[in-house]
């Protein structure tokens, strides 16, 4: 639940600080619009003082995908959710490729509000294929009190308020855009029909352009799915957002006037004219009656301008480790026995696909290639312990195993400042002593490319591509040039299929336990 604190009533005081001049969405000013219009408070993350963004573009022969997302501190829930939503949309885009042309998907994020209580973001995806262009937008709201990332429904006090705000949008479309009740689009039209059927609502005559009196239409609590009204918790907010899927309120922001502004596709609004977006207003007084406690905090944060301390508190996070693989097609590419002379070329290729990998390194090679380890850590890759010099641990005593693991951990720690989070035993050789002694999660694999045996680039690539599925851990060796040459084809094809390349720790997000053995995190 959102903590209850005092909020300023719009009935008493509505102010828009000097910062608002910087926050207006580019476009025409309200004075240039004959129809009702609202200016949304929004700012590119790249323009927010103290904020950091991650940005990547992956260009292939079949497509271009680009995305920018906020870096709000190590493990910040909003960064993870934004990246995961973008990744899911990217997968859907790639899975729908027709095989002709070179379509593009560009995703970006802007800031709607930022304070110690709440951070609001708008995610925008623009896809182009030939002369066709389509746009999707949605918003996410981080509640610092609960640590939850919530959909737009959490801005409203209950389901009655959600219903009511749709009726208010319907009123604007009917009164100012002269849309008949039967022509109102989607869920807005459904809400208006329910309002018109409420006792006391004015019946709309055939062809009459006047709108019914819907001032109290939602007052009976006729929620869309029939559930009783009440304060939202996080789970219920998501359920209600699912029930209202397709609502224009998925892209809701606060206006410079202190109300709400809702973006609609002009193709759904006949009479809107030659505009790129229809920005429907919900007046400040109307909005105040509908907002939740989180909604009041969000409105206050939007009107006050972003609090820079929100972005400076923890500093930018590493660019890896921010995807929820339980909801995505993820695969972990792992590389053993290095680092070596081909490892830098491998990382060059991984960078082209914004791919993170896990390197199980030999402690004896760390001093020879310290720059490679530094680069791995800087680019979001993960380093695992593969023993000091590739000895078979299953033939060693517990004391010798402990010494080997400690020596390798220390070598890695001396270069990158942290211990490896997992280990891989050479040859996959295990016994009870190994499991009880290594002190780290033990990562094996479910896709073995046998690259050390074949040394055939095409065979290695084909095996990895044909056997990988969501949750797979794929085994390569970066000491073999033939294996490194296979990675461009592996990345290209798995990327085209909508996979995301993550570290082992990220793949097993539910947690890894020391001494336990893991081969994959497949969803089946």
């Amino acid at each position: 639940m959102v903590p209850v604190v005092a909020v300023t009533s719009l009935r008493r005081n509505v102010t828009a600080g000097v910062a608002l001049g910087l926050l207006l969405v580019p476009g025409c000013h309200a004075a240039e619009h004959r129809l009702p219009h609202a200016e949304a408070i929004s700012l590119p993350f790249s323009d927010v003082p103290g904020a950091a963004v991650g940005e990547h573009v992956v260009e292939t022969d079949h497509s271009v995908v680009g995305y920018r997302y906020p870096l709000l501190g190590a493990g910040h829930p909003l960064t993870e959710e934004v990246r995961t939503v973008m990744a899911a949309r990217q997968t859907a885009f790639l899975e729908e490729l027709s095989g002709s042309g070179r379509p593009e998907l560009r995703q970006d994020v802007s800031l709607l509000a930022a304070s110690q209580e709440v951070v609001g973001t708008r995610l925008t995806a623009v896809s182009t294929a030939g002369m066709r262009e389509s746009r999707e937008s949605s918003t996410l709201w981080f509640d610092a009190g609960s640590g939850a990332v919530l959909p737009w429904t959490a801005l409203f006090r209950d389901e009655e308020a959600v219903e009511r705000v749709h009726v208010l949008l319907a009123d604007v479309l009917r009164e100012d855009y002269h849309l008949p009740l039967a022509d109102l689009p989607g869920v807005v039209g459904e809400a208006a029909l329910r309002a018109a059927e409420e006792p006391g609502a004015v019946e709309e005559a055939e062809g009459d352009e006047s709108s019914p009196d819907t001032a109290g239409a939602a007052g009976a609590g006729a929620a869309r799915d029939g559930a009783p009204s009440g304060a939202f918790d996080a789970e219920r907010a998501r359920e209600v957002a699912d029930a209202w899927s397709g609502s224009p309120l998925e892209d809701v922001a606060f206006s410079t006037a202190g109300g709400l502004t809702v973006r609609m596709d002009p193709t759904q609004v006949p009479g809107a004219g030659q505009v790129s977006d229809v920005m429907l207003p919900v007046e400040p007084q109307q909005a105040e009656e509908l907002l939740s406690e989180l909604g009041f905090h969000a409105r206050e944060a939007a009107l006050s301008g972003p609090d820079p301390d929100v972005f400076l508190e923890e500093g930018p996070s590493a660019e890896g480790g921010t995807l929820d693989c339980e909801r995505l097609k993820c695969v972990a590419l792992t590389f053993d026995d290095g680092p070596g002379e081909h490892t830098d070329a491998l990382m060059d290729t991984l960078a082209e696909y914004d791919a993170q990998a896990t390197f199980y390194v030999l402690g004896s090679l760390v001093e020879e290639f310290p720059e490679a380890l530094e680069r791995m850590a800087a680019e979001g890759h993960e380093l695992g312990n593969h023993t000091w010099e590739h000895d078979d641990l299953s033939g060693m005593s517990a004391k010798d195993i402990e010494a080997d693991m400690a020596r390798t951990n220390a070598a890695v720690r001396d270069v990158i400042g942290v211990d490896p989070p997992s280990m891989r035993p050479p040859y996959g050789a295990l016994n009870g002593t190994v499991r009880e002694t290594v002190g780290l999660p033990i990562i094996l694999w479910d896709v073995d490319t046998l690259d050390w045996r074949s040394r055939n680039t095409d065979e290695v690539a084909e095996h990895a591509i044909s056997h990988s599925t969501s949750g797979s851990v794929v085994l390569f060796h970066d000491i073999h040039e033939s294996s490194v040459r296979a990675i461009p084809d592996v990345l290209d094809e798995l990327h085209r299929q909508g996979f995301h390349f993550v570290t082992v720790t990220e793949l097993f997000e539910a947690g890894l336990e020391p001494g336990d053995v893991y081969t994959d995190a497949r969803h089946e």
Side-chain angles (χ1 to χ4, degrees):
M1 298 295 292
V2 180
V4 177
V5 299
V7 294
T8 302
S9 170
L10 274 174
R11 295 190 179 95
R12 296 191 299 272
N13 182 25
V14 174
T15 61
V18 199
L20 289 181
L22 300 174
L23 300 177
L24 300 184
V25 168
C28 300
H29 293 286
E32 299 171 3
H33 288 258
R34 291 174 299 169
L35 295 167
H37 179 76
E39 295 282 5
I41 299 174
S42 178
L43 185 68
F45 254 96
S46 55
D47 293 347
V48 178
V53 295
E55 182 171 7
H56 298 278
V57 178
V58 179
E59 298 190 43
T60 67
D61 292 340
H62 52 71
S63 63
V64 177
V65 295
Y67 38 92
R68 294 197 302 176
Y69 51 86
L71 297 171
L72 299 177
H76 197 290
L78 186 57
T79 295
E80 177 174 316
E81 185 64 18
V82 168
R83 286 211 66 197
T84 298
V85 170
M86 287 184 170
R89 185 175 282 127
Q90 175 179 307
T91 293
F93 170 80
L94 292 169
E95 288 179 336
E96 293 170 3
L97 291 179
S98 64
S100 60
R102 195 172 182 237
E104 296 191 13
L105 173 66
R106 303 281 182 170
Q107 299 190 75
D108 204 352
V109 61
S110 56
L111 183 69
L112 303 180
S115 70
Q116 296 301 317
E117 290 81 23
V118 60
V119 180
T121 57
R122 169 184 285 124
L123 284 62
T124 302
V126 178
S127 58
T128 56
M131 300 297 292
R132 297 191 309 264
E133 179 178 294
S134 63
R135 170 181 172 149
E136 297 178 58
S137 295
S138 60
T139 63
L140 292 171
W141 302 85
F142 172 67
D143 170 28
S146 65
V149 180
L150 301 166
W152 61 273
T153 48
L155 298 176
F156 299 96
R157 66 169 190 264
D158 53 25
E159 290 165 76
E160 178 183 319
V162 171
E163 179 91 4
R164 175 64 182 152
V165 73
H166 285 84
V167 174
L168 292 173
L169 295 180
D171 288 347
V172 174
L173 292 172
R174 298 183 66 193
E175 294 172 6
D176 298 290
Y177 289 85
H178 307 297
L179 265 67
L181 179 63
D183 291 347
L184 293 174
V187 295
V188 173
E190 295 172 14
L193 283 170
R194 285 191 292 272
E197 294 168 358
E198 286 289 328
V202 178
E203 296 286 331
E204 181 182 33
E206 183 75 16
D208 184 3
E209 292 184 349
S210 63
S211 63
D213 177 10
T214 57
R224 187 176 183 220
D225 58 3
S229 62
F232 285 137
D233 58 21
E235 182 178 354
R236 187 60 185 154
R238 296 186 186 102
E239 290 173 353
V240 176
D242 288 341
W244 285 88
S245 178
S247 167
L249 282 149
E250 291 176 351
D251 189 6
V252 63
F254 290 91
S255 70
T256 55
L260 299 170
T261 177
V262 180
R263 188 187 305 265
M264 287 193 69
D265 186 334
T267 62
Q268 292 187 309
V269 187
Q274 297 297 314
V275 294
S276 58
D277 296 294
V278 174
M279 306 294 288
L280 298 182
V282 176
E283 297 303 324
Q285 298 286 359
Q286 296 171 320
E288 182 170 271
E289 297 173 356
L290 305 176
L291 294 178
S292 65
E293 197 72 31
L294 179 67
F296 279 110
H297 285 311
R299 186 192 66 185
E300 184 177 357
L303 291 171
S304 300
D307 178 354
D309 290 340
V310 172
F311 309 104
L312 297 175
E313 202 168 274
E314 298 182 18
S317 64
E319 295 194 18
T322 51
L323 290 177
D324 180 357
C325 285
E326 291 188 0
R327 296 154 54 191
L328 298 170
K329 292 172 66 174
C330 293
V331 62
L333 306 183
T334 65
F335 298 90
D336 287 9
D337 296 358
E341 60 181 316
H342 309 297
T343 303
D344 272 325
L346 169 61
M347 286 191 282
D348 290 343
T349 303
L350 292 169
E352 292 177 10
Y353 287 84
D354 185 27
Q356 272 70 55
T358 301
F359 292 85
Y360 286 99
V361 300
L362 297 178
S364 59
L365 295 176
V366 169
E367 290 185 6
E368 187 176 347
F369 298 97
E371 295 85 359
L373 270 70
E374 291 170 351
R375 181 179 174 186
M376 290 173 191
E379 296 184 5
H381 303 299
E382 189 167 88
L383 282 79
N385 185 321
H386 199 43
T387 74
W388 184 256
E389 52 186 1
H390 211 268
D391 287 331
D392 183 344
L393 297 181
S394 65
M396 296 167 59
S397 68
K399 182 179 179 180
D400 288 342
I401 293 171
E402 287 179 350
D404 189 292
M405 295 296 297
R407 187 181 184 189
T408 305
N409 284 344
V412 172
R413 182 174 61 251
D414 287 347
V415 176
I416 66 170
V418 295
D419 283 353
S422 66
M423 67 86 59
R424 174 171 285 164
Y427 318 107
L430 286 172
N431 59 20
T433 302
V434 173
R435 293 189 58 181
E436 292 171 4
T437 310
V438 291
L440 291 172
I442 300 167
I443 309 299
L444 299 183
W445 54 86
D446 66 303
V447 180
D448 187 351
T449 62
L450 298 175
D451 57 340
W452 59 273
R453 177 190 297 170
S454 73
R455 307 292 180 93
N456 184 299
T457 293
D458 291 339
E459 287 183 12
V460 169
E462 191 281 330
H463 188 93
I465 292 166
S466 61
H467 288 79
S468 293
T469 188
S470 186
S472 283
V473 178
V474 189
L475 171 62
F476 302 92
H477 295 79
D478 54 319
I479 59 171
H480 301 312
E481 185 178 9
S482 54
S483 299
V484 172
R485 287 201 308 265
I487 299 305
D489 286 345
V490 172
L491 291 171
D492 186 74
E493 178 56 27
L494 293 181
H495 169 76
R496 189 193 65 78
Q497 295 178 22
F499 281 91
H500 304 277
F501 307 103
V502 300
T503 65
V504 161
T505 297
E506 195 169 7
L507 187 71
F508 294 95
E509 189 175 15
L512 297 167
E513 295 296 329
D516 285 350
V517 180
Y518 303 85
T519 59
D520 63 81
R522 295 190 180 198
H523 297 171
E524 302 89 8

